[in-house]
Amino acid sequence: MRKVTEELELKLKNLPDRPGVYMMKNRAGKVIYIGKAKKLRNRVRTYFQKSRPHDPKTEVMVSKIADFEFYVTDSEIEALILESNLVKEYRPLYNVNLKDDKRFPYLKVTMDEPFPRVIVVRRMAKDGARYFGPFTDAGKMRRTLRFIQKHFKIRTCDYVLPDPKDKVKLCLEYHIKRCPGPCEGLISEEDYGKTIDDILLFLSGRSSELLDRLQDKMMELSEAMDFEQAARVRDQIEAIESVRQRQRVVSDQVIDRDIAAFACSDVDAACVVLQIREGVLIGRQHFYLKIQKDTTESEIAETFIKQHYMHADTIPKELYISAALDDRELLQKWLSEKRGNTVRIFIPQKGEKLKLVEMAHNNARLLLNELLLQKQHYKDRIPEAVMRLQSDLRLPRTPVSMSCFDISNLGQEDKVGSMVYFEKGKPKKSSYRHYKIKTVKKQDDYASLREVVYRYFRRLKEEALDFPDLLVIDGGKGQLSAALDALKAHGIKDQLVIGLAKKLEEVFLPGQKEPIMVPRTSPALRLLQRIRNEAHRFAIEFNRKLRGKRTIGTELQKIPGIGPKKAEVLLKHFGSVKKIKELTAEQISEAPGIGIPDAQKITEYFGQ
C-alpha cells in the first residue's frame, strides 16, 4: 500500500459527498485509472485505507498513485457517461479499454440533405445522420450496401441537390434503374423520403414492419393499375424475404435483443455480440479489449457495455450477458434513457437464452484464440531484413541471432570492447556485454578484438549457451582474421563470421579474397549498419564512463586518506565532485564509511 502524503491526505479530506468521476495519476502526471462514484468521498478513500483489502491488480495500481483529480456531476448516470468518455480519451493503463474501432466501418444515412444517401464512414459524428454499425465484417457491410443500392434505388452521387442553378445530367445509374433521378426532378423529396424510411427499417432489422409497408404499397399500386411499379415492389419484397430466410430465427418473441459474451487471457479479451431483431439473428459483431492481469469478467462486461453503447445508434430492449454486474441497475437506467423506454439486462442461467449466451461465448473464445495465434505468429516471424541478409551474403542459415563486436581504443589506459546482440533484427539489450581489455598493454585493435571474442566464446562454452547464428566484426580483413584466430583457439570451426568495413560498407567473408558489396537499397545493409553503429555507440559510452571515473577518482584520491574505495563511495553517494565541493564536512560525513576526519580533509582540500 502506498504511503499517503500530506498533500494527498488533504485532498482526501476535502472530497465531496456527491456523484462524480475520479482520475488517478502517477508521479509523471499520467492518468493511470479513471472511475466513477456515487459518493466521491467514500469511493476514493477506499483506495488508501490499509484495512481495506484489494485484489493484486488494484494493489499494483494503488502503489503507483501520486495524485488524483475529480469531477463532480449532478447524478450517477452523468458520472457513468463522463467516465466512459474520459476512458476513451485517456485510455488509462489500469482500465479495461475497448480497442479503437476506427478500422471498423459504419453505414451512414445522411439526413441533412433533401435527397439522403447511404455511404461508408469510419467515424461517427454528431451531424444528425443515422449510423449503423460498426461492421466488424467489412465484406458483409459491402454486401448490405450493394443490396440497398440495388433494391431500394437511391442516389450514390455526391451532388448538392436540388441544384438551384441548373440540373445535373442523368447518369448511368438512372438508366440501369438504380437511381430515381432526383437530379432531374423525376422524384419528389416526399417520395424519396419514404424510400429512406424503408432503408432505415431494413438496417434496423425491422423486416416485418418493412414487409407490411411494402405489401400495402404493392396493393395500392395494383389497385391504381400501375402494374409495372407494383411488380418492382414485389421484386423488392422477394429480395428482402430471401435475406430474411437466410437469417436464423432464434426466438418466437418479436423482440430486440443483444447477446454479449466474453473470453479473456492475461492481457487480452474478446467479445462477441449477437444481434437479434424481431426474434431473428441478423448479425454478429466482435471486439477486442485490452485488459490487465486479474481483471474480472464482470469488470470487462461493465466497461464494454458503457463504451460500446455510449455511441450506438440503436439500443436493444433486452441485453443478455455472460457475467454478473455490480452496477446492473444503474446501467439499465442509463440504457433506458438512451433508448427512450425500458431496457433490461439479464444473466441467463438456463434454457434457450443460456444456449445463445454459450454460443456467443464459444465464438468469443475462438476469436481470442485466433488473436493469440496471430500475436504468436508475429512474435515468431523473421523480419525481411534478416531473410535478405541471408540471401545477399549467401549464408547457409538464417542469422536470427547476431553478435557484433567493436573496440574503443583511446590511449593505453582506456581500451574497451563491446558486444551487442540482435535477435530477429532487434536489439536484445539484456545480452549486451562490456569488456575491459586485460592482456593487451599497448594500442592494438587486432589483439584487443582477439581477446574479447575469445572471452565471449569461452563464457558461452562454459555456461553451455547457444552460439550466435552470425558473428559480425566491425572492420575489414585484419579484424576478421583476429576473430577467426580467437575461434580457432577454442576449436570452433562452423561459426559464421563476417567483417564489415566502414569506408565502402564492404562485407568480408572467411576464405574469400574479394568483399561482397550488399546493394545500397537492401534492408540487409541497413541492418548491418544498425548493429555495427550500436556496437560502436556501446563501446564509446563505456570508454567515456571509465575515463570519467578514472579522472574524477584520481582527483579525489589526491586527498590524504581517500583511497579508491572511499572515492567510489563518495561519487556513488553524491553523484559528482562538483556536488561534493559544495558540501560541509557534516554533510559529507553522511556518506557510508566516511567519518568526520575524512570529511574535514575533503573540505580543506577544496578550500572550504
Side-chain angles (χ1 to χ4, degrees), residues 17-244:
D17 279 327
R18 294 184 58 186
V21 173
Y22 53 92
M23 300 168 62
M24 301 299 191
K25 297 182 176 182
N26 62 12
R27 289 188 185 90
K30 185 177 181 180
V31 177
I32 59 173
Y33 183 75
I34 296 174
K36 61 169 177 55
K38 190 173 184 179
K39 291 186 177 181
L40 283 166
R41 174 187 288 272
N42 296 347
R43 183 71 186 96
V44 176
R45 290 179 69 87
T46 60
Y47 289 101
F48 303 94
Q49 293 172 352
K50 293 182 180 179
S51 59
R52 189 73 173 244
H54 294 299
D55 58 76
K57 182 194 75 170
T58 306
E59 285 285 356
V60 174
M61 186 267 290
V62 171
S63 71
K64 297 182 179 180
I65 297 174
D67 194 11
F68 66 86
E69 291 182 7
F70 62 88
Y71 299 89
V72 175
T73 58
D74 290 332
S75 67
E76 199 175 355
I77 287 183
E78 282 187 17
L80 183 148
I81 295 169
L82 179 59
E83 176 203 25
S84 182
N85 286 330
L86 289 174
V87 167
K88 189 163 187 178
E89 178 182 351
Y90 287 97
R91 308 191 76 79
L93 177 64
Y94 290 96
N95 283 91
V96 176
N97 283 297
L98 184 63
K99 288 190 178 178
D100 195 352
D101 59 359
K102 63 186 177 184
R103 63 190 183 280
F104 296 146
Y106 292 82
L107 285 181
K108 172 183 176 179
V109 183
T110 61
M111 305 298 290
D112 57 348
E113 50 189 348
F115 298 94
R117 296 164 292 142
V118 180
I119 58 176
V120 179
V121 296
R122 295 277 174 174
R123 289 287 188 188
M124 294 177 65
K126 294 181 179 179
D127 54 4
R130 292 286 302 276
Y131 293 85
F132 296 89
F135 286 85
T136 54
D137 183 346
K140 181 180 178 182
M141 181 273 299
R142 294 289 177 188
R143 290 192 295 272
T144 301
L145 181 59
R146 286 196 296 269
F147 181 89
I148 290 170
Q149 291 169 345
K150 179 178 179 181
H151 296 287
F152 288 91
K153 298 178 176 56
I154 57 169
R155 73 186 185 102
T156 57
C157 64
D158 57 0
Y159 292 118
V160 177
L161 300 178
D163 192 329
K165 296 178 182 178
D166 54 354
K167 295 178 181 178
V168 180
K169 187 177 180 181
L170 288 170
C171 66
L172 179 63
E173 289 290 304
Y174 172 80
H175 294 292
I176 62 174
K177 303 187 185 303
R178 291 287 183 89
C179 176
C183 54
E184 286 276 2
L186 301 180
I187 186 173
S188 67
E189 289 185 29
E190 183 181 357
D191 289 340
Y192 190 96
K194 290 177 181 179
T195 301
I196 294 298
D197 290 340
D198 291 344
I199 291 172
L200 294 175
L201 287 174
F202 176 74
L203 289 173
S204 300
R206 302 282 191 274
S207 298
S208 298
E209 185 179 345
L210 174 59
L211 290 170
D212 288 343
R213 286 180 55 167
L214 292 175
Q215 289 283 359
D216 292 342
K217 182 178 179 181
M218 184 176 67
M219 294 302 296
E220 290 175 5
L221 290 168
S222 297
E223 290 172 3
M225 308 294 284
D226 191 347
F227 298 115
E228 184 178 353
Q229 288 295 332
R232 288 176 181 170
V233 175
R234 178 203 61 203
D235 294 342
Q236 192 177 13
I237 291 171
E238 289 176 354
I240 295 169
E241 285 282 13
S242 68
V243 171
R244 199 180 188 206

Side-chain angles (χ1 to χ4, degrees), residues 463-478:
E463 298 179 16
L465 300 174
D466 292 334
F467 290 2
D469 294 318
L470 180 64
L471 184 62
V472 181
I473 303 299
D474 181 17
K477 286 184 177 181

Side-chain angles (χ1 to χ4, degrees), residues 160-417:
V160 177
L161 300 178
D163 192 329
K165 296 178 182 178
D166 54 354
K167 295 178 181 178
V168 180
K169 187 177 180 181
L170 288 170
C171 66
L172 179 63
E173 289 290 304
Y174 172 80
H175 294 292
I176 62 174
K177 303 187 185 303
R178 291 287 183 89
C179 176
C183 54
E184 286 276 2
L186 301 180
I187 186 173
S188 67
E189 289 185 29
E190 183 181 357
D191 289 340
Y192 190 96
K194 290 177 181 179
T195 301
I196 294 298
D197 290 340
D198 291 344
I199 291 172
L200 294 175
L201 287 174
F202 176 74
L203 289 173
S204 300
R206 302 282 191 274
S207 298
S208 298
E209 185 179 345
L210 174 59
L211 290 170
D212 288 343
R213 286 180 55 167
L214 292 175
Q215 289 283 359
D216 292 342
K217 182 178 179 181
M218 184 176 67
M219 294 302 296
E220 290 175 5
L221 290 168
S222 297
E223 290 172 3
M225 308 294 284
D226 191 347
F227 298 115
E228 184 178 353
Q229 288 295 332
R232 288 176 181 170
V233 175
R234 178 203 61 203
D235 294 342
Q236 192 177 13
I237 291 171
E238 289 176 354
I240 295 169
E241 285 282 13
S242 68
V243 171
R244 199 180 188 206
Q245 287 170 7
R246 291 196 297 270
Q247 296 168 337
R248 177 180 170 186
V249 177
V250 294
S251 174
D252 55 0
Q253 293 180 290
V254 181
I255 197 166
D256 295 346
R257 292 191 182 107
D258 276 0
I259 314 291
F262 311 88
C264 57
S265 64
D266 282 349
V267 295
D268 291 291
C271 172
V272 165
V273 180
L274 304 178
Q275 298 171 297
I276 298 171
R277 300 295 180 263
E278 298 181 346
V280 175
L281 178 61
I282 67 165
R284 187 197 82 168
Q285 293 176 303
H286 65 267
F287 303 91
Y288 296 109
L289 303 97
K290 199 69 180 172
I291 63 175
Q292 286 290 311
K293 193 174 182 180
D294 300 318
T295 303
T296 65
E297 190 175 342
S298 177
E299 290 178 273
I300 296 171
E302 288 189 12
T303 302
F304 173 77
I305 291 170
K306 287 183 283 189
Q307 293 189 24
H308 176 60
Y309 292 106
M310 176 63 67
H311 304 289
D313 187 66
T314 57
I315 306 293
K317 189 171 182 60
E318 294 180 355
L319 174 60
Y320 289 83
I321 61 172
S322 59
L325 300 173
D326 294 333
D327 288 332
R328 183 163 72 164
E329 294 298 325
L330 177 64
L331 290 169
Q332 285 184 157
K333 187 176 179 182
W334 169 62
L335 290 172
S336 298
E337 286 188 5
K338 282 184 67 68
R339 178 181 166 87
N341 51 50
T342 304
V343 175
R344 299 290 303 278
I345 300 175
F346 298 95
I347 301 93
Q349 304 297 319
K350 60 181 180 179
E352 291 298 320
K353 297 177 180 65
L354 178 60
K355 289 182 180 179
L356 285 170
V357 170
E358 289 174 344
M359 181 171 72
H361 180 267
N362 290 337
N363 277 267
R365 173 54 58 187
L366 289 170
L367 281 169
L368 181 62
N369 290 341
E370 184 180 329
L371 174 66
L372 296 177
L373 285 172
Q374 288 174 353
K375 280 190 167 186
Q376 187 62 40
H377 174 73
Y378 181 79
K379 184 179 178 182
D380 295 339
R381 184 176 62 87
I382 298 174
E384 180 193 357
V386 176
M387 301 298 291
R388 285 290 298 275
L389 183 59
Q390 181 184 10
S391 61
D392 287 347
L393 300 183
R394 297 184 288 279
L395 301 175
R397 59 178 177 269
T398 306
V400 176
S401 59
M402 301 165 61
S403 295
C404 182
F405 285 87
D406 187 29
I407 300 296
S408 180
N409 199 339
L410 298 175
Q412 294 188 13
E413 294 187 28
D414 299 312
K415 298 188 295 293
V416 299

